[in-house]
Amino acid sequence: MATPTSDFDKRKQISVRGIAEVESVANIKKTFNQHLHFTLVKDRNVATPRDYYFALAHTVRDHLVGRWIRTQQYYYEKDPKRVYYLSLEYYMGRSLQNTMINLGIQAACDEALYQLGLDIEELQELEEDAGLGNGGLGRLAACFLDSMATLGLAAYGYGIRYEYGIFDQKIKDGEQIEEPDDWLRFGNPWEKARPEYMLPVNFYGRVEKHERGSRWVDTQVVFAMPYDMPVPGYLNNTVNTLRLWSAKSPHDFSLKFFNNGDYIQAVLDRNNAENISRVLYPNDNFFSGKELRLKQEYFMVAASLQDIIRRFKSAKFGCRDPVRTSFDSFPDKVAIQLNDTHPSMAIPELMRILIDIEGLTWEKAWQVTVKTCAYTNHTVLPEALERWTVAQLEHLLPRHLEIIYHINFLHLQEVSKKFPGDTDRLRRMSCVEEEGDKRINMAYLSIVGSHAINGVAALHSELLKTTVFRDFYEMLPERFQNKTNGITPRRWLLLCNPSLADVITDKIGDGWVRDLSELAKLKPLANDQQFLRRLLQIKQENKMRLAIHIKEKYNVTVNPGSMFDIQVKRIHEYKRQLLNCLHIITMYNRLKRNPNLPFTPRTVMVGGKAAPGYHIAKQIIKLICAVARVVNNDPIIGDRLKVIYLENYRVSLAEKIIPAADLSEQISTAGTEASGTGNMKFQLNGSLTIGTLDGANVEMREEMGAENFFLFGMTEPEVQALGQKGYNPYEYYERNPELKLAVDQIRNGFFSPSNPTIFQDIADVILKHDR
């Protein structure tokens, strides 16, 4: 079938996804049946829905493989500069539908499965989310991979193949219960294990000095086995690679066990090495300081750098012989982006490789390292900044500690030259913190060892320069820049809201799928009544779909005609779910006081996971659930106000929620949220935003016009001024009767009659410790 070229021809198509070609459908049916038979060893009599999902996934993957191999061949032959994105988190979500869309085969797959008597949407729901991230930082990494592949950049993601991703959240009696996310239990059809590229990673040991320098000896070895996941670009035949490392124990057993004959114990102890890639740390914006976490960080960095250097040295596809011996061109061929400080051990590790193994001088190695590495900062919260103790590093990575000390020594010499006699500045700018337990400040190390440092929204980047990294900005202003976070329009509009995608494409063509600035072409339609009616109809259909999901999942009937007011993100005090809860209580009290009050019916939905050790965050979840129980069962309120806690918020649930939202809550205290990306996803799907001037909200408001943004709360300078003046919560509590009533109800057990004091901690946070 000829590809339509004119706008008229394009409009004749059913949707932006096109019409399935007959031969494609026949081919997909044939491949599907072959996979069911040969890969899954089942026939239609005994196959389960999950078997059908796997058969479809393998069928779709078959369409990837040729493109994947050709993409890598092309990179080896052309030898472009490669981008290496190092991140401990990738919140990928599901791959099936995204892959079908990016390959342009969704219509054919839909039709093929329909002809086979199967429901493709039902099969898509069986795919496990790849939840290898906590929240924004991990989802940003996933969106970057999609965008780099769509732009045709020679980009590689490197991370860890956690056996258990971010925990599954269950809400039982209003409390968060964490259950392990065993996402690999049925297998992962999208990954390809590469045992032939297994690499050794060293830990512990000691440093030996000799005439040619230092050697790290007597180490314990763990192997890193790579698993490759394809990252398809949108309709451009590019398929990049996300390489995730899994820890494997070395083959040789500890001899001491053989000497005393404890063979079984020797086998069992192999697990210790493999624990490195067992589980994702479930902390967002909080530094835990655990040795296993440091091991994970170094494990990922050490394996990735060996791989990067091997690829740099090889010239042509399939050739494993080193051909490049000089590292002069390394920064021209390799760019390493550090996603926050988690991969910052890449700086001393690259130095170690270049000096100890490749024989470069310190000066040359440092020049190469700084020109190659760049660092993205994701937070200004002091409790989130990584600061490893010197004792931990000395024990686990003794050679790296030596290198960090020398980096710091030379760095402080530079500071002295630029600011002679300023000893306090030397103390403030040292990567080694001397107070209490000696610690290494990983953010400072990342700044010193990178040629570019970026924040993730204009306000955040300015705050870095004026607060946490002010001294560094004064010394190295040319290194600091801004790169506001973004989202991929493929997943966050084309995939999750196909009806809206179709109506946009019908009006302005499909260029927006690759370039969102094209959406500006919709502006002349702002008063087109027919177009606006269609948008409202699509929103209503999405809301009805979500209402059905809520009824099935939570057994709560919500009014699809009500305003869907949604706040979904990690539960954290600075994100202010508690403020949202106070507002819900206040709306409830107003309706109770005056049942005839003119009131737009509203369904408030809150979702997100709390870090397992974060007591107040878990209490906030419990409080919202307690408030929901009271509000949802009050006959006077009826369906005018409903409260839903959305259990186990994750990428696949976001794809259902976001298209249905009327109001997006982005109400973090100004100056605390680095960027936020959920704000952009809601906006892209036609939701209105109530928000503070924080993170990317500032730039979104400039883009959409202040009249289309419900501005709320203090600005960042006002927050700072109030902090300096002294903030007394009791003043506000005594002055505002509605606020006082809400806090008293929380404190006195109105929402928890069986245990009246259970929310005392929350009342204390509001009245005593609120920052």
Side-chain angles (χ1 to χ4, degrees), residues 701-716:
R701 183 168 176 262
E702 286 166 7
E703 192 68 31
M704 73 180 79
E707 69 280 7
N708 297 312
F709 185 97
F710 294 102
L711 184 59
F712 164 83
M714 292 187 288
T715 63
E716 193 275 328

Side-chain angles (χ1 to χ4, degrees), residues 318-353:
C319 168
R320 298 297 301 272
D321 300 325
V323 288
R324 272 202 192 100
T325 49
S326 165
F327 278 82
D328 291 352
S329 63
F330 193 76
D332 302 322
K333 290 295 180 185
V334 174
I336 295 174
Q337 189 70 36
L338 310 176
N339 193 25
D340 215 349
T341 55
H342 312 144
S344 56
M345 287 306 293
I347 291 164
E349 172 64 4
L350 184 53
M351 287 295 287
R352 185 189 72 81
I353 293 170

Side-chain angles (χ1 to χ4, degrees), residues 236-248:
N236 66 351
N237 290 329
T238 296
V239 180
N240 284 339
T241 302
L242 168 60
R243 178 159 282 185
L244 300 175
W245 301 103
S246 181
K248 296 288 172 206

Side-chain angles (χ1 to χ4, degrees), residues 23 166 284 337 342 444 451 538 551 569 648 660 678 683:
E23 65 221 48
I166 183 67
D284 195 44
Q337 189 70 36
H342 312 144
Y444 290 2
H451 66 276
I538 289 165
K551 177 66 181 166
K569 49 187 79 240
N648 203 30
Q683 193 67 43

Side-chain angles (χ1 to χ4, degrees), residues 476-488:
L476 303 162
E478 70 288 349
R479 291 192 186 182
F480 285 78
Q481 47 175 270
N482 176 57
K483 292 284 178 290
T484 300
N485 282 347
I487 57 173
T488 166

Side-chain angles (χ1 to χ4, degrees), residues 71-72 74-75 80-87 89-90 92 98 102 138-158 230-243 335-339 376 486-490 513-514:
T71 300
Q72 301 311 315
Y74 179 80
Y75 292 160
K81 183 171 186 174
R82 289 169 166 87
V83 179
Y84 294 105
Y85 197 78
L86 268 54
S87 177
E89 299 184 23
Y90 289 93
M92 302 297 285
N98 186 66
N102 281 7
R139 185 53 232 172
L140 177 76
C143 281
F144 264 138
L145 292 183
D146 180 275
S147 292
M148 289 190 291
T150 297
L151 290 168
L153 295 174
Y156 300 75
Y158 278 108
V231 182
Y234 179 69
L235 301 185
N236 66 351
N237 290 329
T238 296
V239 180
N240 284 339
T241 302
L242 168 60
R243 178 159 282 185
I336 295 174
Q337 189 70 36
L338 310 176
N339 193 25
T376 300
I487 57 173
T488 166
R490 271 75 59 188
V513 181
R514 286 190 182 85

